Amino acid sequence: DAKTTQPPSMDCAEGRAANLPCNHSTISGNEYVYWYRQIHSQGPQYIIHGLKNNETNEMASLIITEDRKSSTLILPHATLRDTAVYYCIVRGYNNNDMRFGAGTRLTVKP
Amino acid sequence: NAGVTQTPKFQVLKTGQSMTLQCAQDMNHEYMSWYRQDPGMGLRLIHYSVGAGITDQGEVPNGYNVSRSTTEDFPLRLLSAAPSQTSVYFCASSPTPPRGARGNTIYFGEGSWLTVV
């Protein structure tokens, strides 16, 4: 699976949009981009995933660049409960060896 | 629907002792895996299984054994615990092949905190 690079930490003001970047320049055509988050001491939680089109669900939006070498997770109206470590993972559609990196620690401030 | 259930939640072991971390899922998922997470670090894959009777190694398999005799259960065994195995352990499962709108998303248990002294 392609390697991902994320900033180690970010801050966001409560009520504002949080934009979390991820670089995956070696991604191949059949690899998906997944986002998970881990709130302190809990198991990771699925957020969203996509292949090449932008995706939106009740939690977030995923914007993937046209060349697929990077993506951005957007939390449209961040709340204090969104404070967590966010993991960007690239994984082949049929590859079950999902590996997490260090992620981005997002802190939402009042 | 219980999802992924791990037991015990907390455990203290002495060096050299053995124990088994239990993991069960009730979603009929074929894929299950174990991760460990050390303080301030991301998750590292220990072992995984794509179905009953099939297991494979992840990033950090040494010191751990697994088996998959049923679809529902995927226990992780520490044969001779070492202080370096002090960590939080997460079990996870996923449908294989992908089913439903979420495809190959992975569902995690709540974690098992293990301390080896």
Side-chain angles (χ1 to χ4, degrees):
Chain A
D1 291 330
K3 180 179 173 59
T4 62
T5 303
Q6 298 177 253
S9 64
M10 292 181 63
D11 292 341
C12 178
E14 187 178 20
R16 305 297 294 269
N19 298 290
L20 292 91
C22 179
N23 288 324
H24 31 79
S25 59
T26 61
I27 193 170
S28 61
N30 65 351
E31 290 181 320
Y32 283 67
V33 180
Y34 288 79
W35 283 84
Y36 284 76
R37 73 179 182 183
Q38 186 176 25
I39 296 171
H40 180 63
S41 299
Q42 298 181 19
Q45 175 190 25
Y46 165 83
I47 302 173
I48 199 166
H49 75 285
L51 182 61
K52 55 183 178 180
N53 297 322
N54 297 338
E55 302 287 345
T56 296
N57 63 19
E58 65 278 6
M59 291 182 67
S61 295
L62 173 61
I63 308 299
I64 303 174
T65 58
E66 190 170 348
D67 63 7
R68 302 210 321 123
K69 293 185 177 182
S70 66
S71 61
T72 301
L73 178 75
I74 301 173
L75 307 178
H77 305 288
T79 71
L80 298 179
R81 289 175 292 182
D82 291 322
T83 292
V85 177
Y86 288 78
Y87 297 99
C88 168
I89 302 160
V90 170
R91 176 184 172 202
Y93 189 69
N94 289 315
N95 185 348
N96 289 299
D97 188 355
M98 177 173 272
R99 301 195 179 193
F100 290 70
T104 295
R105 180 171 298 277
L106 175 69
T107 302
V108 180
K109 299 185 174 181
Chain B
N1 187 348
V4 180
T5 303
Q6 293 182 229
T7 56
K9 192 166 181 66
F10 300 97
Q11 182 72 49
V12 178
L13 284 179
K14 294 182 178 179
T15 298
Q17 285 186 315
S18 63
M19 79 155 298
T20 299
L21 297 177
Q22 301 291 344
C23 178
Q25 52 90 10
D26 61 358
M27 298 173 281
N28 200 32
H29 287 173
E30 296 179 36
Y31 170 75
M32 297 184 74
S33 59
W34 277 102
Y35 291 84
R36 61 176 287 173
Q37 185 172 35
D38 300 326
M41 298 182 65
L43 285 79
R44 291 186 292 169
L45 182 65
I46 304 172
H47 286 285
Y48 65 96
S49 167
V50 298
I54 305 170
T55 63
D56 208 344
Q57 297 181 348
E59 299 175 79
V60 288
N62 293 338
Y64 306 94
N65 283 346
V66 292
S67 60
R68 186 88 182 275
S69 57
T70 67
T71 299
E72 294 79 17
D73 301 300
F74 190 45
L76 178 72
R77 298 184 184 85
L78 286 72
L79 296 180
S80 180
S84 60
Q85 293 178 304
T86 294
S87 190
V88 182
Y89 292 84
F90 290 98
C91 179
S93 75
S94 170
T96 304
R99 298 179 185 130
R102 288 195 165 186
N104 270 346
T105 57
I106 291 184
Y107 301 86
F108 285 84
E110 290 303 309
S112 296
W113 273 252
L114 176 66
T115 301
V116 183
V117 297

